[in-house]
Amino acid sequence: MQGSGIAGSTGVGCNVCVRLVVVACVCAVSLLGRLEASGLGLRESQAANGTVYEGGARFVVYTSTLVRMEYSSSGLWEDSTTLNVINRASDFTDFTTSVVSGWRQIKTSNIVVYYQVGSGAFSSTNLKVLLVPSKTVVYPFKAQAANNLKGWVRSLDGANGAVSLNDGIFTTNGWYLLDDTDTAVRQGDWMVTRAERNQQSSRGVYDTTTLVQYWNEGRTDSLLCGTNDCYSGNPDYTMVRVEGYQPNSYEKTAVQLFDYWDSTLIDNYATTLSTPPSGYTPAWFSNGYVLSAPQTDITHSISVWWSETRQDFLTVGSDEGISYAESNGYILAFDDIGWIYTSPPAKQYQDTYFFGYENNFKTALTDFMLITALKYYAYTDDDYRNDLIPMFRSEKVPLDVLSIDTDWKSPNTWDGWEWNSALFPDPDDFISWADSEGLVLNLNVHPSIVTDDPKYSECSAITGDTLKTDTDGKKCFDWSIYNHTEAFFWLMQPFEQEGIRFWWNDWCCECQGVSNMAGLPADCWLNFLYKYDVDQKGLRGFSMSRIGAALGSSFAPGGAWSEHRSSMHFTGDTYDTWDMLSFEAYVTPRESAIGVPYVTHDIGSHLGTHLADDLYLRWVQLGSFQPIFRLHSQPEGERLPWEYPPVQTQAEDMMRLRHSLLPYTYTTAWQAATTGLPMNRPLFLEYPGYTAAYSYSHEFMFGDSLLVAPVLTSGMDEVSTELWLPPGVWFNWFDSSCTPMTGPAVVTVVSTLDDMPLFARKGCIIPMESYSDWDPLPANVDPLVLRIFSGENSTFTMYEDGGDGQEWQTGAYSTTFLQWTEQSPGVIRSGGSGTLAINSRQGTYGGASQSRAYQITVAPVASSGPLSVQCNGKQLPCVDPDSTDEGWWYDTTNLSTNVRLNSLSVSAAVSVTFTF
C-alpha cells in the first residue's frame, strides 16, 4: 500500500499501462461484439423457437410481455426484416399453449393471448389479451390503447410553443399494439414494399352482400346487417344510397355528422340543420350516424370516420365498369344506382406486435429494443484468431492489448463470473494463443453478481450472506465492508491465474451507493483496491475505471485527489460529435490539476455508429497523442480503420506514428510517475506568463517537445486551424520543407487529411522505434530511431525497463542520455557541424539487450547535404537508402541527413558527427 515518487505507485502501474495499451486499436466491435452484416447492415433472421401456429395465424413469443401476432390467409409468412423490425428470431420458451373451448391460448407469466380458432383475420371480437398482474382483458384489434404518453414529432420547424406529439409505445393502460403490416421489407441489400397478402379485391365487396337502404319520403327500410344491429360499431358492413331516394328533410337533432371536406369540420350538431352545406347530400339512418358524399367532384379529398377510423386522400380509379375512389382499403364507389359506401375489405395479412407491460415502462422499452435495435454477435475465439487479429497484422496496424467487453461472461453476460463456453470453448488455449501473438488480455467486469451464478453461494458465504440487493435483483458489494471486498476479488482470482492481466471496471449502471462509509468515495476506494490487489502479486497495479465519486453522482466529498495513485481514467460513454471531440482535447490536460496523467477516452465515441469520415480521422489523430490510445464503441459502432475507406490510409498512418513514438511516450510516462508532470500538459503549465496559454485551451504539449493542436472542425479538403505557437522556434512535423515558425504568435495552419498541426521544438531529440506488430516485454527497442530537429543544442534522457513488475522501484531500469550539440546553433549551413552523443546505457533490468542498431535523422540541414559523417571518428560511407549497409545518405525532399548504424554495444558511448 506504500506509494513511491510524487505520483505514487500508481504511476508505476500506468507506466506499464502505457506500454501495453498505447496502441490498443481494439475497437467498437472488437471490444463489444461483431455485427453480422452486409449491405444495409441488417441481418435476416427466422422465427424458430417461441413460435405457435393456429390456422392462418402465427404467434411468436419474444418475452413474457411481447408477442408477435401475424395473420396470413395464404400461409405466406413474412420472415424478412422490415424497416422497423430487424430481429425476428426468438429463443424464448417460458410459455405454454393449448386450445380450450375453441380458443387458442398462449400463456406467459405476464400475459395470456386468446385467439378464436378458425375465425380468420384478427378483429375486435376474435382476439383478446389478459394482462395477468392487473387481471385486465384488452381487445387490441378493437381500438388502440388509450392514454398514450406520446413519443415524438418530426421537427419543431416554425413552432413557438407546444405542438402535438405522435404516439409512442408507452400508455397508462399498460399495453400497445405496434402495427408493422405495411412497412417496407428488406430484399437483399435494399428495401421493397410488402408483397400483396390479400387474396380478395383491395376494393372490398359490393355484390350480393351489398346492403341497401331506401330513403323515400322519410321511409327507412330495415338494413340487413347480419346478426348485429346495423352499423353497431363493426366496420364490416356495406351501406348504399340508391339514386333518386332522398330523406324528406334535413333535420338532424342529436345526430353526429363526421365529415372533412375542404378542411371544414362539421361535428356534433345538436340543432336542426335547415339546409345541407354546399356540395353535400346528407343521408341518415337508424343509428344516428350520417355519411355524406359530394354531388360532383369525386377526385376531391375526403375523410370518412368509420368505426373511429379516419381515412384521407381518396385515389380514383375504374375496374370492370365501376368507378371508385379508394383510401387505404376504404371504398367510395359509384355506379348507375348512385353512391356506394363500403367498409374496408377484411384484411388477409396482418403483422403486429403486442406489448403488455402494465406499468413497467422499462420492460416495454427493453422489448422494443429487442426487435428494433441492431443486434451484434459477440466475437468468438475463432473470430479473434482467424479474422480480427490477422486483419490488424495484414494492414500493419500495431496491436498490444485486446480488451474484451461483457460478452465473455456466463451465465449472465452482464454480471456473470464464468467464461461463455459458446464463445470461448477453451479459455486456456485462447489465452495461450493471445500470448503468442503478443496480446495482453483485459476483461470487462461489472461489480455485481446474480443469484443463479454458480459462484454465488460461495461468494455470498464469504460475506456472511450480507450482499446488498439492487433494484433489479442482482447482488452488489459494499466496498466499505472488508469481507465484501474479499469476496469480490475472490471472483477474479481464477481468471488472473489463467493469465488475465488486468480488469476494466465498467461500473456504470448498477448498485448505486455501494460504499456506506462517510468520506470514502466509492470510485476512489474501489480503484485503490484494484491497484493494491495487483501490487501484492508483484505486478504494476492500476484500475481502468471512472473516477472520483460514485454511480449517480458526479462529485463526492474528498473528490478525486487520490486517483492519480490508482487509476487510468476511463471517461465512459460519449456521443460522436465535433463538440465531444473538442472537449476530449480539452479535458485530458486539465486532469493534470488533480495529478492524473493517464486518461483514456473512447476514440470515436462510444454511442456513435458510423462516423463521418473526417470526424473519425480527426478523432484518431487526437487519440494518437493521448496517454492511452483505445478505440471503442457500442455494439453497432464501427471504429476499425478499414471501415472508413476514404480515410483508411491516413488513419492507419497515424496509428503507426503513434506506435513509432513509443520510446518517447514511455519516457514521458516515466516522467509522470516520478515528477508528477502529466503526459498531456496544458500550455499554461509550461508558459504561465502568457495570456494565450490560457485561452488556447485545446492545444497541449505532449511531453517536453511536441505541441499538438488537433483539428476540431469538419472538412474533407483543406481545413484551417488557428493556434498559438509558444515562445521559441517550431517545426511542423509534416512539413517536408522544414520551414521554421517562430513564437510567441497566433498562426493559422492549413491541414489536409494527411496531416494535422503537430510541432516539434527546435533542437529536440525524439526517440522512436521501427514498426512491429506488437511490443514484447521487455521492449528492447532495436533499432533505436532518433529524429533530431536541428537548430539548437539539446538533451534527452530515455527511460527503459522490463515493462511490468515492481523491480523498477529498486533500480531495475536503465537510462540513456542523448545530447545534440551544434558548432553554431541555428540551421546547419555549409561550414557548420553537429554532433549526436549517445552515452552508454546506465543501469539494467531483466531481459535487457546488450546491443542495438541506430537510425538517425537530422533536419533541416544545408541543402547541399553533409561533406562527411563520422561514427566514433570513423568515416561512414554514403549508401543506398534501400540497402541494409551501414552508412549515411541525404534526402533532398525533406532536407534531412540520415544515418544507419548496425548493432553496437549499449555499454559503450557512440558519437556521430555531421560536417557540412
Side-chain angles (χ1 to χ4, degrees):
M1 298 175 64
Q2 182 178 2
S4 74
I6 293 176
S9 54
T10 269
V12 184
C14 292
N15 263 345
V16 69
C17 170
V18 171
R19 169 63 68 182
L20 298 178
V21 190
V22 65
V23 287
C25 305
V26 186
C27 70
V29 290
S30 69
L31 291 175
L32 280 169
R34 173 169 54 111
L35 176 66
E36 289 283 358
S38 64
L40 296 180
L42 307 178
R43 183 181 181 183
E44 291 194 22
S45 54
Q46 303 295 317
N49 295 332
T51 303
V52 177
Y53 294 90
E54 180 58 60
R58 179 170 75 164
F59 301 90
V60 181
V61 185
Y62 287 96
T63 69
S64 65
T65 51
L66 173 61
V67 177
R68 181 187 185 191
M69 301 173 175
E70 183 183 20
Y71 182 83
S72 173
S73 59
S74 65
L76 299 176
W77 310 113
E78 189 63 84
D79 289 329
S80 298
T81 57
T82 73
L83 178 67
N84 294 329
V85 178
I86 60 176
N87 298 317
R88 293 290 199 196
S90 170
D91 56 5
F92 187 78
T93 58
D94 192 13
F95 67 93
T96 61
T97 183
S98 60
V99 175
V100 179
S101 301
W103 289 81
R104 166 67 67 180
Q105 300 181 9
I106 302 171
K107 296 182 178 181
T108 76
S109 59
N110 289 90
I111 62 175
V112 182
V113 177
Y114 297 87
Y115 170 65
Q116 189 173 13
V117 174
S119 60
F122 305 135
S123 71
S124 60
T125 59
N126 70 355
L127 191 143
K128 56 188 177 183
V129 181
L130 170 66
L131 304 180
V132 174
S134 64
K135 298 182 175 59
T136 302
V137 177
V138 300
Y139 296 84
F141 291 90
K142 182 176 182 179
Q144 183 60 275
N147 303 314
N148 195 284
L149 297 175
K150 302 300 179 181
W152 66 281
V153 64
R154 194 250 178 180
S155 78
L156 296 176
D157 295 330
N160 61 6
V163 299
S164 297
L165 297 182
N166 300 296
D167 287 354
I169 62 171
F170 299 146
T171 74
T172 57
N173 291 47
W175 65 274
Y176 186 79
L177 187 72
L178 190 157
D179 190 348
D180 200 45
T181 302
D182 298 317
T183 307
V185 298
R186 180 190 175 208
Q187 180 174 296
D189 289 339
W190 204 242
M191 305 298 287
V192 297
T193 59
R194 289 262 188 169
E196 178 58 57
R197 302 297 184 180
N198 192 348
Q199 294 178 327
Q200 297 186 13
S201 166
S202 63
R203 295 185 294 107
V205 181
Y206 46 88
D207 45 31
T208 59
T209 61
T210 300
L211 307 176
V212 179
Q213 179 182 11
Y214 289 85
W215 294 288
N216 184 8
E217 303 297 322
R219 179 176 66 84
T220 303
D221 288 350
S222 63
L223 286 172
L224 190 59
C225 297
T227 59
N228 298 318
D229 293 337
C230 179
Y231 194 61
S232 60
N234 189 326
D236 299 326
Y237 297 99
T238 301
M239 272 62 74
V240 174
R241 179 182 65 78
V242 177
E243 183 68 33
Y245 292 91
Q246 303 284 339
N248 62 355
S249 72
Y250 299 114
E251 288 189 0
K252 293 172 43 21
T253 304
V255 170
Q256 288 184 316
L257 173 64
F258 292 85
D259 186 38
Y260 275 103
W261 203 276
D262 284 340
S263 301
T264 301
L265 174 64
I266 304 171
D267 198 355
N268 295 323
Y269 281 92
T271 58
T272 299
L273 186 65
S274 58
T275 59
S278 174
Y280 290 82
T281 302
W284 61 274
F285 49 94
S286 59
N287 71 345
Y289 278 77
V290 175
L291 303 177
S292 68
Q295 294 176 338
T296 54
D297 187 3
I298 67 167
T299 65
H300 218 293
S301 296
I302 188 172
S303 290
V304 175
W305 286 84
W306 199 297
S307 186
E308 300 180 348
T309 302
R310 197 194 75 197
Q311 300 297 328
D312 290 297
F313 306 114
L314 293 173
T315 302
V316 177
S318 179
D319 183 29
E320 298 177 354
I322 297 180
S323 301
Y324 65 91
E326 178 180 359
S327 174
N328 295 334
Y330 285 74
I331 306 302
L332 177 63
F334 58 97
D335 57 15
D336 58 357
I337 64 169
W339 289 99
I340 303 173
Y341 291 85
T342 69
S343 69
K347 282 195 173 182
Q348 300 301 300
Y349 182 77
Q350 295 159 294
D351 190 6
T352 61
Y353 294 81
F354 181 84
F355 297 79
Y357 46 83
E358 300 269 6
N359 64 352
N360 194 332
F361 298 116
K362 289 183 178 180
T363 294
L365 192 58
T366 299
D367 286 348
F368 179 74
M369 299 305 291
L370 176 65
I371 60 172
T372 63
L374 279 172
K375 283 196 172 185
Y376 72 100
Y377 299 84
Y379 268 100
T380 66
D381 179 327
D382 185 67
D383 292 328
Y384 284 121
R385 298 186 197 225
N386 300 315
D387 184 10
L388 180 67
I389 303 307
M391 192 66 176
F392 271 93
R393 303 313 187 208
S394 67
E395 290 293 323
K396 297 296 182 185
V397 177
L399 182 66
D400 289 318
V401 175
L402 190 62
S403 291
I404 303 175
D405 209 330
T406 195
D407 311 288
W408 70 270
K409 302 168 192 166
S410 176
N412 185 296
T413 56
W414 192 262
D415 306 286
W417 291 94
E418 301 280 349
W419 283 98
N420 183 340
S421 60
L423 303 181
F424 301 95
D426 189 342
D428 288 336
D429 188 63
F430 172 71
I431 293 170
S432 177
W433 164 81
D435 184 66
S436 71
E437 286 288 326
L439 296 171
V440 174
L441 295 180
N442 161 230
L443 296 183
N444 171 281
V445 61
H446 298 103
S448 49
I449 188 170
V450 290
T451 55
D452 61 351
D453 192 290
K455 294 181 179 177
Y456 170 73
S457 295
E458 189 170 355
C459 176
S460 180
I462 295 173
T463 71
D465 297 323
T466 58
L467 289 175
K468 297 184 175 183
T469 302
D470 202 12
T471 54
D472 61 358
K474 65 169 65 76
K475 296 293 185 175
C476 304
F477 301 86
D478 185 335
W479 312 123
S480 66
I481 301 174
Y482 181 84
N483 59 15
H484 280 223
T485 300
E486 184 181 22
F488 180 65
F489 282 90
W490 170 81
L491 288 169
M492 291 180 282
Q493 288 176 5
F495 304 98
E496 294 170 350
Q497 291 166 2
E498 290 173 336
I500 299 303
R501 173 56 182 87
F502 68 104
W503 298 88
W504 165 17
N505 174 30
D506 192 14
W507 180 29
C508 63
C509 315
E510 66 279 286
C511 304
Q512 184 168 336
V514 290
S515 173
N516 289 329
M517 187 180 297
L520 187 68
D523 281 332
C524 305
W525 183 235
L526 180 56
N527 291 340
F528 166 78
L529 292 172
Y530 267 105
K531 169 196 157 29
Y532 179 73
D533 179 66
V534 178
D535 280 350
Q536 301 313 298
K537 298 177 174 68
L539 302 175
R540 302 183 188 181
F542 61 92
S543 172
M544 176 177 164
S545 181
R546 296 163 176 88
I547 67 170
L551 178 66
S553 173
S554 60
F555 177 79
W561 306 110
S562 67
E563 293 284 15
H564 67 92
R565 296 196 302 267
S566 309
S567 306
M568 177 203 306
H569 184 195
F570 162 59
T571 56
D573 303 344
T574 62
Y575 285 94
D576 56 330
T577 66
W578 286 96
D579 285 344
M580 193 68 248
L581 170 64
S582 176
F583 188 70
E584 288 184 2
Y586 170 86
V587 75
T588 300
R590 290 310 175 282
E591 292 207 6
S592 63
I594 56 170
V596 173
Y598 309 109
V599 182
T600 173
H601 304 294
D602 290 349
I603 303 303
S605 83
H606 174 75
L607 298 173
T609 52
H610 185 90
L611 279 64
D613 293 323
D614 55 343
L615 179 58
Y616 173 76
L617 174 62
R618 300 307 184 185
W619 225 313
V620 167
Q621 290 176 346
L622 173 66
S624 296
F625 298 96
Q626 293 290 291
I628 313 297
F629 185 98
R630 186 181 54 82
L631 296 167
H632 175 227
S633 84
Q634 62 180 326
E636 59 268 33
E638 294 177 328
R639 298 295 179 271
L640 297 164
W642 40 91
E643 292 171 328
Y644 294 85
V647 295
Q648 176 182 348
T649 298
Q650 293 89 341
E652 292 180 352
D653 284 346
M654 288 304 301
M655 294 178 189
R656 284 187 283 267
L657 173 60
R658 163 73 184 206
H659 180 265
S660 71
L661 286 168
L662 189 53
Y664 175 84
T665 306
Y666 198 63
T667 298
T668 302
W670 171 62
Q671 290 178 325
T674 56
T675 71
L677 277 176
M679 299 177 68
N680 290 53
R681 303 169 188 174
L683 296 184
F684 60 75
L685 199 64
E686 300 280 358
Y687 307 98
Y690 293 85
T691 302
Y694 300 87
S695 58
Y696 285 83
S697 56
H698 297 88
E699 294 178 44
F700 53 87
M701 294 295 299
F702 188 63
D704 292 328
S705 302
L706 297 179
L707 172 70
V708 182
V711 176
L712 303 175
T713 53
S714 178
M716 290 292 287
D717 297 315
E718 293 184 341
V719 178
S720 296
T721 301
E722 183 184 279
L723 57 93
W724 180 67
L725 278 179
V729 177
W730 302 85
F731 293 103
N732 187 327
W733 184 280
F734 299 100
D735 179 11
S736 60
S737 67
C738 291
T739 303
M741 302 179 68
T742 303
V746 174
V747 299
T748 297
V749 177
V750 177
S751 303
T752 68
L753 295 177
D754 297 321
D755 56 61
M756 63 177 289
L758 172 63
F759 292 86
R761 192 194 304 273
K762 182 178 69 172
C764 70
I765 305 169
I766 306 294
M768 303 171 67
E769 67 179 27
S770 58
Y771 175 81
S772 61
D773 288 338
W774 72 86
D775 274 294
L777 298 179
N780 286 325
V781 180
D782 187 14
L784 175 60
V785 179
L786 299 173
R787 184 168 178 180
I788 301 168
F789 291 84
S790 65
E792 192 169 295
N793 296 338
S794 65
T795 63
F796 187 92
T797 299
M798 186 178 74
Y799 174 85
E800 298 172 279
D801 63 21
D804 204 347
Q806 302 288 339
E807 294 81 5
W808 78 281
Q809 296 184 83
T810 55
Y813 63 88
S814 71
T815 58
T816 302
F817 184 72
L818 308 170
Q819 185 173 25
W820 172 252
T821 306
E822 296 180 9
Q823 184 183 45
S824 299
V827 176
I828 302 179
R829 303 182 184 280
S830 180
S833 65
T835 299
L836 172 65
I838 305 172
N839 287 261
S840 61
R841 189 174 67 190
Q842 301 298 302
T844 190
Y845 50 90
S849 63
Q850 299 305 307
S851 63
R852 64 164 47 113
Y854 298 91
Q855 293 177 5
I856 304 164
T857 296
V858 181
V861 297
S863 58
S864 58
L867 297 174
S868 67
V869 177
Q870 293 181 330
C871 177
N872 293 336
K874 177 184 176 182
Q875 193 82 16
L876 293 176
C878 183
V879 298
D880 185 342
D882 295 326
S883 72
T884 59
D885 298 336
E886 187 172 77
W888 67 272
W889 66 93
Y890 177 69
D891 189 338
T892 59
T893 60
N894 57 18
L895 304 179
S896 67
T897 299
N898 302 272
V899 176
R900 180 168 47 239
L901 301 176
N902 293 335
S903 186
L904 296 170
S905 172
V906 297
S907 299
V910 177
S911 178
V912 181
T913 299
F914 302 79
T915 302
F916 294 86

